């Protein structure tokens, strides 16, 4: 969502009766016929990929330019080697212990940006097949506690499907 909200209060008069989360909506949606009869390939988006030897600076620029939060990482043959999500990048930028002056901090940032993607990527990202149903994709996301899946065919990333894609399908159906 554009707001970044993951849950909304449910009001009864002026009182909060409960909270409705994205997962509540997706749990409901996974029981709808269209979610069990629609294949992942029908709503997946083409992935922007990055090589595992590429540096963190390159993946950061890619995420910013394309407004994406996860990038499949491939080996030299183009096969899926892992995934880098925004939170993986944030882990690389853990706050330094001692106080630094601006120049030291800039040097530290340059050092971090030059690290290879392989140093922070998740090497066992959850995946889906093209023909998996949307209901199955939701189950996988819940099981692995991930907000997205890499769609793989013969080891090659062919798509990405996210919570946002599933919510847009739900709203549109």
């Amino acid at each position: 969502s554009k707001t970044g909200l993951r849950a909304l209060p449910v009001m009864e008069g002026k009182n909060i009766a409960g909270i409705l989360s994205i997962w509540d909506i997706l749990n409901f949606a996974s029981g709808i016929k269209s979610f069990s009869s629609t294949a992942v390939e029908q709503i997946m988006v083409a992935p922007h990929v990055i090589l595992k030897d590429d540096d963190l600076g390159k993946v950061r620029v890619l995420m910013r330019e394309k407004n994406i939060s996860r990038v499949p990482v491939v080996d030299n043959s183009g096969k899926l080697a892992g995934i880098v999500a925004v939170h993986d990048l944030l882990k690389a930028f853990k706050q330094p212990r001692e106080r630094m002056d601006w120049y030291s901090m800039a040097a530290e940032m340059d050092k971090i940006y030059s690290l290879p993607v392989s140093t922070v990527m998740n090497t066992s990202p959850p995946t889906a097949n093209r023909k998996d149903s949307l209901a199955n994709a939701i189950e996988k996301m819940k099981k692995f506690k991930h907000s997205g899946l890499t769609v793989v065919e013969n080891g090659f990333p062919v798509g990405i499907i996210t919570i946002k894609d599933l919510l847009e399908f739900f709203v549109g159906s």
Side-chain angles (χ1 to χ4, degrees):
S1 69
K2 283 188 173 74
T3 62
L5 288 173
R6 296 261 174 199
L8 292 170
V10 177
M11 305 301 287
E12 209 170 89
K14 291 185 178 179
N15 300 320
I16 294 178
I19 291 185
L20 180 68
S21 76
I22 285 175
W23 290 108
D24 295 328
I25 295 167
L26 291 177
N27 281 335
F28 173 79
S30 65
I32 296 174
K33 190 177 188 300
S34 61
F35 271 73
S36 51
S37 63
T38 302
V40 162
E41 68 183 345
Q42 290 179 260
I43 71 165
M44 71 182 189
V45 294
H48 295 280
V49 299
I50 199 151
L51 286 164
K52 67 181 194 174
D53 297 330
D54 283 338
D55 62 44
L56 294 179
K58 184 172 179 180
V59 78
R60 178 180 163 264
V61 168
L62 180 67
M63 286 177 167
R64 237 156 102 207
E65 284 179 356
K66 304 294 181 188
N67 192 24
I68 53 178
S69 59
R70 59 184 38 79
V71 179
V73 180
V74 295
D75 62 18
N76 292 334
S77 68
K79 291 207 171 185
L80 185 68
I83 195 156
V84 174
V86 169
H87 64 265
D88 297 317
L89 278 186
L90 293 175
K91 278 188 269 180
F93 290 95
K94 285 194 289 277
Q95 289 301 310
R97 299 279 179 262
E98 74 281 354
R99 292 184 62 104
M100 282 188 185
D101 62 32
W102 192 86
Y103 294 101
S104 304
M105 201 181 306
E108 189 66 19
M109 296 288 271
D110 284 346
K111 205 161 66 181
I112 292 168
Y113 283 139
S114 65
L115 290 172
V117 170
S118 58
T119 59
V120 299
M121 72 181 188
N122 171 354
T123 55
S124 52
T127 61
N129 298 311
R130 286 175 176 271
K131 301 295 181 195
D132 284 349
S133 70
L134 298 184
N136 183 266
I138 291 169
E139 288 308 309
K140 282 185 180 179
M141 286 182 193
K142 284 192 324 199
K143 179 180 173 190
F144 294 105
K145 294 177 174 63
H146 269 260
S147 57
L149 300 172
T150 305
V151 184
V152 179
E153 191 169 55
N154 300 321
F156 296 94
V158 293
I160 292 275
I161 185 168
T162 65
I163 284 178
K164 184 174 175 268
D165 300 321
L166 292 164
L167 288 171
E168 286 173 358
F169 180 80
F170 175 68
V171 171
S173 58

